[in-house]
Amino acid sequence: MKMKEGNKKVAAADVSEERMKKENQELLSVCDLRVEYTSGGNVIHAVNGVSFELAARTTIGLVGETGAGKTSIARALLRILPDHATKSVTGEVYFKERDLLKVPENEMRKLRGKSISMIFQDPMTALNPVKTVVDQIAEGIRLHHLNMSKRDSIHSAVRMLETVGITEDRAHEYPHQFSGGMKQRVVIAIALACNPELLIADEPTTALDVTIQAQVLDLMKNLQKELGTSMILITHDLGVVAEACDTVAVVYAGELVEYGAVEEFFDHPSHPYTIGLFGALPDLSKKVRRLSPVEGLPPDPFNLPEGCSFAPRCPHATDSCRQARVGMTKLDENHYVRCIRCGRED
């Protein structure tokens, strides 16, 4: 889905209004993204026709179980999937009117870290253990600002560390000298050092305790607001989604099964899988002996079901669900569900 701009000239008095409109336009548009891997001669269908849009200065949450395909989606956007295992990547990924899947690799290198950055899942392995944290940030800054001196890049890196709450006196320390939460702050500083327009955060709070999780989320939200960055937040934590996201996309077996505004998602969850996720959450207002987990296991990506991927686990599944692929149903302007129980498909 490619964004279109009118050819009509805008009068000087309307420039500010036009700028505001542009800020609300799509920054990223993903259409029918598919990723396949190979392993032992078998094909793994990791991402199966994912489509979503992200407006400037907003956050979309990709929610789902481990192995659902969330990280494969993120890595496909940046084109950093493992070459030895990737069989094919198809679809369209438009970032500011350019299809990232067709951009030459030398141009993608310029985009990564500068226009699009990623916070990887484990801060313990994302940092170089033999370089100081300030050097690791400065290295990225110099890479994208070729005319900047080493001294200026170090100064800029120190300022970035201070922005994420790490004082200058700790800038020349090594990763092993920092706690898990502080390492995550360093990783965030690296990702935001060049003021990217899009930040992809892959479960940035998973390895942290609850108190540090809240601090890191607050930090990310404040920096996002200050820098005007859009974000794709990958998580399995619905509390994080409620706290940080504008839009939610529920990923199951490489597909989006529910997609819409965060208010609609929490007020009217509609897909049986989404309802099951909410049913598995503890509720302090109810006295229950056990939670209600989603029964069964996700399907084998080597051999996905013919019909609805969730049918083997769904309490409402019928023969129709098992026989044919299910498309997205539009419930309202900001809410889509992949389920035949939710009305006529568009």
mmCIF file with all atom_site columns, all heavy atoms in Angstrom, residues 57 175 251 253 270 297 341:
data_model
loop_
_atom_site.group_PDB
_atom_site.id
_atom_site.type_symbol
_atom_site.label_atom_id
_atom_site.label_alt_id
_atom_site.label_comp_id
_atom_site.label_asym_id
_atom_site.label_entity_id
_atom_site.label_seq_id
_atom_site.pdbx_PDB_ins_code
_atom_site.Cartn_x
_atom_site.Cartn_y
_atom_site.Cartn_z
_atom_site.occupancy
_atom_site.B_iso_or_equiv
_atom_site.pdbx_formal_charge
_atom_site.auth_seq_id
_atom_site.auth_comp_id
_atom_site.auth_asym_id
_atom_site.auth_atom_id
_atom_site.pdbx_PDB_model_num
ATOM 1  N N   . ARG A 1 57  ? 4.294   9.074   14.889 1.00 0.00 ? 57  ARG A N   1
ATOM 2  C CA  . ARG A 1 57  ? 4.156   9.407   16.310 1.00 0.00 ? 57  ARG A CA  1
ATOM 3  C C   . ARG A 1 57  ? 3.189   8.494   17.062 1.00 0.00 ? 57  ARG A C   1
ATOM 4  O O   . ARG A 1 57  ? 2.629   8.878   18.086 1.00 0.00 ? 57  ARG A O   1
ATOM 5  C CB  . ARG A 1 57  ? 3.730   10.875  16.484 1.00 0.00 ? 57  ARG A CB  1
ATOM 6  C CG  . ARG A 1 57  ? 4.729   11.878  15.922 1.00 0.00 ? 57  ARG A CG  1
ATOM 7  C CD  . ARG A 1 57  ? 4.186   13.305  16.005 1.00 0.00 ? 57  ARG A CD  1
ATOM 8  N NE  . ARG A 1 57  ? 5.140   14.261  15.487 1.00 0.00 ? 57  ARG A NE  1
ATOM 9  C CZ  . ARG A 1 57  ? 6.088   14.854  16.196 1.00 0.00 ? 57  ARG A CZ  1
ATOM 10 N NH1 . ARG A 1 57  ? 6.214   14.577  17.484 1.00 0.00 ? 57  ARG A NH1 1
ATOM 11 N NH2 . ARG A 1 57  ? 6.920   15.704  15.636 1.00 0.00 ? 57  ARG A NH2 1
ATOM 12 N N   . PRO A 1 175 ? 29.853  -3.072  29.809 1.00 0.00 ? 175 PRO A N   1
ATOM 13 C CA  . PRO A 1 175 ? 28.521  -3.638  30.062 1.00 0.00 ? 175 PRO A CA  1
ATOM 14 C C   . PRO A 1 175 ? 28.431  -4.495  31.318 1.00 0.00 ? 175 PRO A C   1
ATOM 15 O O   . PRO A 1 175 ? 27.397  -4.463  32.011 1.00 0.00 ? 175 PRO A O   1
ATOM 16 C CB  . PRO A 1 175 ? 28.267  -4.476  28.797 1.00 0.00 ? 175 PRO A CB  1
ATOM 17 C CG  . PRO A 1 175 ? 28.999  -3.756  27.721 1.00 0.00 ? 175 PRO A CG  1
ATOM 18 C CD  . PRO A 1 175 ? 30.256  -3.253  28.396 1.00 0.00 ? 175 PRO A CD  1
ATOM 19 N N   . VAL A 1 251 ? -0.872  -11.634 17.036 1.00 0.00 ? 251 VAL A N   1
ATOM 20 C CA  . VAL A 1 251 ? -0.224  -12.530 16.071 1.00 0.00 ? 251 VAL A CA  1
ATOM 21 C C   . VAL A 1 251 ? -0.378  -13.969 16.552 1.00 0.00 ? 251 VAL A C   1
ATOM 22 O O   . VAL A 1 251 ? -0.077  -14.285 17.699 1.00 0.00 ? 251 VAL A O   1
ATOM 23 C CB  . VAL A 1 251 ? 1.267   -12.194 15.920 1.00 0.00 ? 251 VAL A CB  1
ATOM 24 C CG1 . VAL A 1 251 ? 1.898   -13.049 14.829 1.00 0.00 ? 251 VAL A CG1 1
ATOM 25 C CG2 . VAL A 1 251 ? 1.460   -10.712 15.620 1.00 0.00 ? 251 VAL A CG2 1
ATOM 26 N N   . ALA A 1 253 ? 0.337   -17.950 14.853 1.00 0.00 ? 253 ALA A N   1
ATOM 27 C CA  . ALA A 1 253 ? 0.797   -18.805 13.758 1.00 0.00 ? 253 ALA A CA  1
ATOM 28 C C   . ALA A 1 253 ? 1.151   -17.987 12.517 1.00 0.00 ? 253 ALA A C   1
ATOM 29 O O   . ALA A 1 253 ? 0.842   -18.366 11.392 1.00 0.00 ? 253 ALA A O   1
ATOM 30 C CB  . ALA A 1 253 ? -0.271  -19.844 13.413 1.00 0.00 ? 253 ALA A CB  1
ATOM 31 N N   . SER A 1 270 ? -12.560 -9.908  20.471 1.00 0.00 ? 270 SER A N   1
ATOM 32 C CA  . SER A 1 270 ? -13.531 -10.669 19.682 1.00 0.00 ? 270 SER A CA  1
ATOM 33 C C   . SER A 1 270 ? -13.042 -12.023 19.190 1.00 0.00 ? 270 SER A C   1
ATOM 34 O O   . SER A 1 270 ? -13.832 -12.950 19.044 1.00 0.00 ? 270 SER A O   1
ATOM 35 C CB  . SER A 1 270 ? -13.973 -9.829  18.470 1.00 0.00 ? 270 SER A CB  1
ATOM 36 O OG  . SER A 1 270 ? -14.584 -8.624  18.903 1.00 0.00 ? 270 SER A OG  1
ATOM 37 N N   . LEU A 1 297 ? -1.648  -26.430 22.123 1.00 0.00 ? 297 LEU A N   1
ATOM 38 C CA  . LEU A 1 297 ? -0.399  -25.799 21.723 1.00 0.00 ? 297 LEU A CA  1
ATOM 39 C C   . LEU A 1 297 ? -0.547  -25.161 20.349 1.00 0.00 ? 297 LEU A C   1
ATOM 40 O O   . LEU A 1 297 ? -1.397  -25.566 19.552 1.00 0.00 ? 297 LEU A O   1
ATOM 41 C CB  . LEU A 1 297 ? 0.726   -26.846 21.676 1.00 0.00 ? 297 LEU A CB  1
ATOM 42 C CG  . LEU A 1 297 ? 1.093   -27.526 22.995 1.00 0.00 ? 297 LEU A CG  1
ATOM 43 C CD1 . LEU A 1 297 ? 2.060   -28.673 22.743 1.00 0.00 ? 297 LEU A CD1 1
ATOM 44 C CD2 . LEU A 1 297 ? 1.695   -26.522 23.967 1.00 0.00 ? 297 LEU A CD2 1
ATOM 45 N N   . ARG A 1 341 ? -17.044 -16.431 12.989 1.00 0.00 ? 341 ARG A N   1
ATOM 46 C CA  . ARG A 1 341 ? -18.130 -16.188 13.946 1.00 0.00 ? 341 ARG A CA  1
ATOM 47 C C   . ARG A 1 341 ? -18.430 -14.712 14.110 1.00 0.00 ? 341 ARG A C   1
ATOM 48 O O   . ARG A 1 341 ? -19.439 -14.345 14.703 1.00 0.00 ? 341 ARG A O   1
ATOM 49 C CB  . ARG A 1 341 ? -17.753 -16.766 15.324 1.00 0.00 ? 341 ARG A CB  1
ATOM 50 C CG  . ARG A 1 341 ? -17.602 -18.264 15.351 1.00 0.00 ? 341 ARG A CG  1
ATOM 51 C CD  . ARG A 1 341 ? -17.184 -18.755 16.728 1.00 0.00 ? 341 ARG A CD  1
ATOM 52 N NE  . ARG A 1 341 ? -18.210 -18.491 17.725 1.00 0.00 ? 341 ARG A NE  1
ATOM 53 C CZ  . ARG A 1 341 ? -18.076 -17.659 18.742 1.00 0.00 ? 341 ARG A CZ  1
ATOM 54 N NH1 . ARG A 1 341 ? -16.956 -16.950 18.882 1.00 0.00 ? 341 ARG A NH1 1
ATOM 55 N NH2 . ARG A 1 341 ? -19.050 -17.486 19.620 1.00 0.00 ? 341 ARG A NH2 1
#
